[in-house]
Amino acid sequence: MGTIVAISTAMGNGGIGIIRMSGKESFKILEKIFKPKNKRFDDIKGYNIKFGYIVNPDTDEIIDEVLVSFFKSPKSYTTEDMCEINSHGGIVVQKMILEQCLKSGADIAEPGEFTKRAFLNGRIDLSQAESVIDLINSRTEKEAKASVNQLQGWLSKKIEEIRKYLLDIMSDIEATIDYPEYDIEEVTNVRAIKQLQIVLEKLDILERSFESGKILKEGIKTIIIGKPNAGKSSLLNLILNEERAIVSDIAGTTRDTIEEYINLKGIPLKLIDTAGIRETNDKIEEIGVNKSIDLINNADLIISIFDNSRELEKEDYQILDMIKDKKSIIVLNKIDLGKHVLEREEEILNLNIPIVKMSAKIGDGIQSLYENIINIFNMGEIELDNSMVITNTRHKNQIKKAKVHIKKAIDTINECLPIDIIGIYIKEALMELGLITGQNVSEDIINEIFSKFCLGK
Ligand code: GDP
């Protein structure tokens, strides 16, 4: 592996910038361009920070005053010799330093290449490497916490524990096959089925944790629906103004919708603004309804808003029909008008969906709306358990695949099929689980994973 270099801090002007270099030649390259103050380069030891100047070796011209940290192999992020040049944080000066590193023999790093090396050199496993990018991209503290736990090896340990169970079963099975004269197949089968059930249960728990993990990561996809003038925009604005911790505004993938994130007690709520639906609705009823149905089906939570000062109308009935089996909250809006027409409405009460009476205009009742959201998603539970969640779809899919093989192994025993067939399924399950931590993982998968990283990480 060659020596790589990249600007690791975000593009833009800041207090300091970090140019990072890793590989066998790091120190040699650095020696050409770094002049430590009051010290000879040779005297510098690892795990040291030195003050000095980055110069253009051809002209001796000073490019910047810098601090350089030295990390000697194997105790570094990548396990290779590494250095980090802390320069002033201007984009031009960082680029000039990068240029000198390249000129002196380093190659520009690919996105995620430092972390990829940490994985390829065996310092961290694949699931830990993936948690680095999750940590960087975290939108809430809870998600960051889940990612840092994964970086510490929580998931790796779990997977290893499960793999060990399977390996134990495997060795029992192999012994039975190798020594048929002892006639222990029956005993092995009984034991194997018990162990396999335990493994299945453990995998189930992990797979289920993905749901909480997904919420931590992607947010609760929430849509506000209601007939025109029910108060959708007012409610959306109220929530956005109330919760100042807006994490980001990103244009939605659907042309007519906008997504905004708010942080509700550490849980991201992804609010999908359905303004577009209304417009389409006015033009062609059909398209509007189809679109709402699509959004409703994809949402994790539907806030349906009704004007409490008016009797139900045709569109209200349509909405009530659409939400009846969904995770939903009914908002009876405009209580400030004093006409509480819908509060005894059987069509609403019979649905057994939480009801919040509020005024989107003056803000009354908003806390009750939040409490209901928290209750619906059992966020207390997530909070207690948030160190133990899977947040990565790839990991969940591997667990799912492993489960299929374990189930087949159990079926094989139940159907009294030859014992070596059980072994085949267990091996498959071991392989699928191994891919989570990166055992025997293909280069394509590795490249795909690291291509999502940022430069310099
Ligand atoms: P949308 O069409 O569903 O988005 O409804 P808007 O949020 O645009 O509200 C329609 C009208 O109802 C506006 O004039 C709002 O000011 C008014 N409105 C919304 N919520 C309330 C409320 O809680 N009380 C009162 N009195 N008026 C409201």
Side-chain angles (χ1 to χ4, degrees), residues 225-237 278 305 307 333-337 358-363:
I225 58 171
K227 70 181 171 203
N229 282 327
K232 293 180 293 297
S233 313
S234 307
L235 180 61
L236 183 69
N237 290 335
R278 212 178 337 155
I305 180 161
D307 186 338
N333 191 32
K334 310 199 186 182
I335 50 169
D336 57 302
L337 293 178
M358 63 175 293
S359 164
K361 190 171 181 176
I362 54 178

Side-chain angles (χ1 to χ4, degrees), residues 285-452:
E285 174 84 358
E286 252 330 90
I287 297 176
V289 171
N290 282 342
K291 224 176 201 163
S292 337
I293 291 172
D294 245 18
L295 279 171
I296 286 172
N297 287 338
N298 284 320
D300 300 315
L301 172 67
I302 300 157
I303 299 177
S304 38
I305 180 161
F306 300 89
D307 186 338
N308 200 5
S309 69
R310 300 166 64 138
E311 297 292 341
L312 290 178
E313 293 170 344
K314 183 174 149 237
E315 284 154 299
D316 293 318
Y317 287 111
Q318 281 177 342
I319 288 170
L320 287 168
D321 193 46
M322 285 194 275
I323 61 171
K324 61 176 183 276
D325 309 316
K326 305 275 176 354
K327 267 192 180 152
S328 180
I329 293 176
I330 290 176
V331 168
L332 300 182
N333 191 32
K334 310 199 186 182
I335 50 169
D336 57 302
L337 293 178
K339 287 194 250 165
H340 307 271
V341 195
L342 300 181
E343 285 165 26
R344 286 173 202 281
E345 182 59 65
E346 301 246 316
E347 297 275 347
I348 291 179
L349 298 175
N350 288 345
L351 286 180
N352 253 335
I353 289 176
I355 298 172
V356 175
K357 296 169 203 162
M358 63 175 293
S359 164
K361 190 171 181 176
I362 54 178
D364 272 6
I366 186 78
Q367 288 309 325
S368 161
L369 177 63
Y370 293 157
E371 279 158 26
N372 272 283
I373 296 175
I374 288 170
N375 283 342
I376 284 189
F377 287 90
N378 246 336
M379 287 175 190
E381 234 172 67
I382 292 176
E383 193 160 32
L384 283 179
D385 215 11
N386 74 354
S387 57
M388 308 287 192
V389 294
I390 289 189
T391 53
N392 188 303
T393 314
R394 192 185 76 84
H395 300 162
K396 188 206 65 171
N397 288 340
Q398 289 309 119
I399 287 169
K400 227 175 161 168
K401 286 183 199 163
K403 271 176 59 184
V404 172
H405 295 300
I406 302 288
K407 279 186 191 145
K408 281 188 187 158
I410 294 175
D411 290 347
T412 308
I413 301 177
N414 284 333
E415 288 162 17
C416 301
L417 292 170
I419 198 160
D420 38 349
I421 300 183
I422 307 168
I424 296 174
Y425 289 128
I426 294 179
K427 274 189 193 148
E428 293 282 340
L430 278 165
M431 200 247 334
E432 300 293 3
L433 292 177
L435 290 183
I436 294 177
T437 45
Q439 281 156 8
N440 299 322
V441 71
S442 77
E443 208 174 320
D444 286 351
I445 296 181
I446 295 176
N447 289 341
E448 155 92 25
I449 289 171
F450 288 101
S451 66
K452 293 187 192 123

